[in-house]
């Protein structure tokens, strides 16, 4: 190769290199146009809904129903019960001790072992029950308490006749003929009611008082409560003893009744006979080791029930 040819070749190669370099630079500097803001379409984010809190319903408060005592019409079961008795004169609350004479014996007892006109012996009802080996007892006849000023000179006396089972004889037996009185008594054939106490023969227990409430299933107190004292006519707690048959005896304490309403309580309970007993501060009912009512004041006589 001639020496003069080399520079020409070098020159040609240089030109080619320059052209290639220029082409490469153009490619590198080519700038793509930036899109305008209008050309950018970004997806709009879907908002996440805020969850609505679930509100639990408040529980509906159901009031506790007040127990309804269904009025009782007819005899309650044997034993002690507190019932509402539906009568022809309204419904009345009562405590009822119903006893089967086939398994129970009625006893009547007095503090004195003989007739007494003043300063008579009185005992708590529980003592009468205990000394006779009983399981239940109720206060007996009207009497004249020492606390009453009008009873001076005849303290704790009673003019009603009571048969003393312990002694086997009547106390105040001379008053059996007094009219207007009634009695519940027991003999060998069972328990009975009478409005003629003088005709009682051979009792093992008997208590006479006033007024009689039920005779042969009929109420003995009229609408005017004739023959009764103002106290007896008044509304309050009343105590009585009655029978449904020769084999069943009932002690009843009724609340907020007058004497006629009290008689209708016995009638609604199925009594064929019933007599009123003392009340007020003398009210006492003892059953299986405790007082259900009372004890009240000490008593000159009482009715007791023992197992046979």
């Amino acid at each position: 190769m001639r020496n003069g040819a080399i520079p020409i070749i070098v020159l040609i190669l240089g030109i080619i290199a320059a052209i290639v370099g220029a082409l490469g630079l153009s490619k590198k500097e080519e700038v793509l146009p930036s899109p305008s803001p209008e050309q950018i379409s970004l997806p709009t984010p879907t908002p996440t809904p805020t969850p609505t809190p679930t509100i639990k319903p408040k529980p509906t408060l159901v009031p506790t129903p007040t127990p309804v005592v269904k009025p009782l019409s007819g005899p309650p079961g044997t034993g002690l019960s507190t019932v509402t008795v539906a009568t022809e004169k309204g419904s009345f609350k009562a405590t009822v001790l119903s006893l089967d004479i086939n398994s129970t014996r009625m006893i009547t007892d007095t503090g004195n072992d003989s007739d007494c006109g003043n300063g008579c012996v009185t005992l708590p009802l529980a003592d009468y029950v205990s000394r006779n080996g009983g399981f239940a007892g109720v206060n007996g006849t009207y009497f004249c308490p020492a606390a009453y000023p009008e009873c001076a000179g005849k303290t704790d006396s009673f003019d009603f006749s009571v048969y003393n089972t312990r002694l086997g004889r009547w106390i105040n037996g001379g008053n059996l003929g007094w009219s207007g009185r009634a009695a519940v008594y027991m003999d060998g054939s069972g328990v009975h009611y009478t409005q003629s106490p003088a005709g009682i023969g051979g009792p093992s227990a008997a208590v006479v008082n006033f007024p009689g409430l039920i005779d042969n299933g009929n109420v003995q107190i009229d609408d005017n409560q004739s023959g009764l004292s103002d106290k007896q006519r008044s509304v309050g707690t009343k105590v009585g003893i009655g029978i449904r048959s020769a084999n069943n005896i009932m002690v009843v304490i009724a609340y907020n009744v007058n004497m006629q309403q009290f008689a209708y309580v016995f009638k609604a309970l199925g009594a064929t006979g019933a007599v009123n007993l003392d009340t007020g501060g003398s009210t006492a009912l003892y059953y299986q080791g405790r007082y259900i009512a009372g004890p009240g004041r000490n008593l000159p006589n009482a009715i007791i029930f023992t197992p046979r």
Side-chain angles (χ1 to χ4, degrees):
M1 184 179 293
R2 295 179 181 174
N3 294 337
I6 293 173
I8 293 172
I9 293 171
V10 171
L11 176 63
I12 291 170
L13 291 174
I15 291 170
I16 292 170
I19 291 169
V20 172
L23 289 173
L25 179 63
S26 297
K27 289 182 180 179
K28 286 182 182 179
E29 291 178 352
E30 181 180 358
V31 179
L32 296 174
S34 300
S36 64
E38 290 79 3
Q39 294 174 319
I40 300 174
S41 179
L42 298 175
T44 304
T46 303
T48 303
T50 303
T52 304
T54 303
I55 301 175
K56 293 183 179 179
K58 293 182 179 179
T60 304
L61 298 177
V62 180
T64 302
T66 302
V68 177
V69 179
K70 185 178 180 181
L72 176 71
S73 182
T78 301
L80 182 72
S81 57
T82 298
V83 295
T84 297
V85 185
T87 79
E88 298 169 44
K89 299 295 181 178
S91 294
F92 305 97
K93 183 179 178 182
T95 298
V96 182
L97 178 60
S98 180
L99 300 170
D100 183 354
I101 293 303
N102 290 315
S103 58
T104 304
R105 183 183 178 209
M106 173 180 164
I107 289 175
T108 42
D109 197 4
T110 60
N112 270 78
D113 288 352
S114 60
D115 295 355
C116 174
N118 185 39
C120 304
V121 175
T122 60
L123 300 170
L125 176 59
D127 286 11
Y128 283 109
V129 173
S130 176
R131 79 177 187 176
N132 286 283
F135 64 88
V138 64
N139 61 276
T141 70
Y142 286 126
F143 69 102
C144 212
Y148 289 12
E150 62 269 29
C151 290
K154 50 182 179 179
T155 299
D156 294 326
S157 64
F158 57 100
D159 60 16
F160 296 92
S161 303
V162 176
Y163 189 85
N164 188 306
T165 303
R166 288 185 301 107
L167 303 174
R169 64 183 181 84
W170 287 98
I171 301 298
N172 298 334
N175 301 339
L176 278 170
W178 289 18
S179 63
R181 300 185 173 194
V184 167
Y185 66 97
M186 185 173 186
D187 61 16
S189 62
V191 287
H192 313 278
Y193 170 84
T194 181
Q195 294 189 160
S196 301
I200 297 174
S204 58
V207 60
V208 178
N209 210 57
F210 173 82
L213 302 172
I214 300 286
D215 185 25
N216 291 321
N218 299 311
V219 171
Q220 300 299 292
I221 310 297
D222 62 29
D223 289 343
N224 296 321
Q225 301 188 87
S226 303
L228 304 182
S229 67
D230 290 342
K231 187 173 182 180
Q232 289 174 320
R233 290 190 188 98
S234 65
V235 172
T237 299
K238 300 198 185 299
V239 185
I241 187 168
I243 64 168
R244 287 204 304 269
S245 69
N247 295 321
N248 181 271
I249 195 163
M250 293 185 295
V251 174
V252 178
I253 300 178
Y255 308 94
N256 296 313
V257 292
N258 63 29
M259 197 66 76
Q260 187 194 52
Q261 292 165 339
F262 189 33
Y264 274 98
V265 168
F266 269 104
K267 180 180 179 181
L269 291 172
T272 59
V275 64
N276 176 61
L277 297 173
D278 199 1
T279 186
S282 302
T283 301
L285 175 61
Y286 188 86
Y287 181 66
Q288 292 187 346
R290 66 188 181 95
Y291 280 100
I292 306 303
R297 57 174 66 97
N298 288 355
L299 309 168
N301 59 72
I303 304 165
I304 305 101
F305 301 98
T306 69
R308 278 189 180 274

